[in-house]
Amino acid sequence: MAESGYLDQYLHELPPSTRNVTSAAMAVARLSELDWAPRGGYPGSDVLWPVRCLLCGWEGLRFYSHLRRARPKGRHAGCVPASEIADRLDQLRQGLTGTCPCEQPHAVTAEAFQETALLLGSAHADEAWDQALALAESLMGSCPAAGRRGRAAQRAFPRT
């Protein structure tokens, strides 16, 4: 597998630095909490990100820096009425858990996140692309415990 773009499904054109991986994990967690789904890798907070609205299926571009704030009153043109958003979000959120039921476990503790992020950096430096991709999945892949993983990322690599 070639280096070029091997991580684009998780980090769109960003190197797998500890900061980028941590930011991406927290971003995926926040999208899950707000019932958005990424349609591509994390591009950075002030770059348009292709997303899908889990309330109605709309697909488009949003800035993550806008999505990470408190819930907006409206989501996008044509979405469910603002009066229904809170109830719909609560219904969807019932599927999120603090436990990772996935066949390949995700890093949901600060210790596991830190260890996996460091291994990802090493695998990338060693050009071990398949290993790096598997480690990236553990840190940024879709999981019902994405919120817990995002909090683990924050504890593993706090911003100073």
Side-chain angles (χ1 to χ4, degrees):
M1 179 180 299
E3 176 183 2
S4 176
Y6 84 102
L7 277 179
D8 272 356
Q9 69 191 63
Y10 300 112
L11 296 169
H12 181 70
E13 298 181 2
L14 296 174
S17 69
T18 299
R19 181 173 176 91
N20 287 340
V21 168
T22 302
S23 295
M26 291 188 299
V28 169
R30 184 65 177 149
L31 287 186
S32 295
E33 291 169 348
L34 296 174
D35 296 299
W36 291 92
R39 292 180 31 243
Y42 175 71
S45 67
D46 293 321
V47 178
L48 287 169
W49 194 1
V51 295
R52 182 169 49 89
C53 174
L54 297 179
L55 297 181
C56 70
W58 175 89
E59 293 184 353
L61 299 171
R62 288 286 184 260
F63 286 106
Y64 172 63
S65 59
H66 298 178
L67 294 174
R68 70 178 170 216
R69 297 183 186 124
R71 285 187 197 172
K73 290 182 182 174
R75 291 172 65 92
H76 57 82
C79 195
V80 299
S83 61
E84 297 177 24
I85 290 176
D87 287 339
R88 295 282 295 274
L89 289 174
D90 289 340
Q91 289 171 5
L92 286 170
R93 198 158 296 104
Q94 290 175 6
L96 298 177
T97 68
T99 305
C100 173
C102 303
E103 186 175 318
Q104 293 296 318
H106 293 94
V108 295
T109 66
E111 296 78 15
F113 192 94
Q114 185 174 48
E115 179 182 346
T116 306
L118 295 173
L119 288 171
L120 171 58
S122 294
H124 180 75
D126 293 343
E127 299 183 359
W129 311 128
D130 290 338
Q131 180 187 11
L133 195 57
L135 292 163
E137 167 63 28
S138 175
L139 298 173
M140 297 172 278
S142 178
C143 177
R148 183 174 174 202
R149 185 180 54 206
R151 291 185 297 278
Q154 287 175 312
R155 286 190 307 277
F157 298 104
R159 302 243 169 115
T160 55

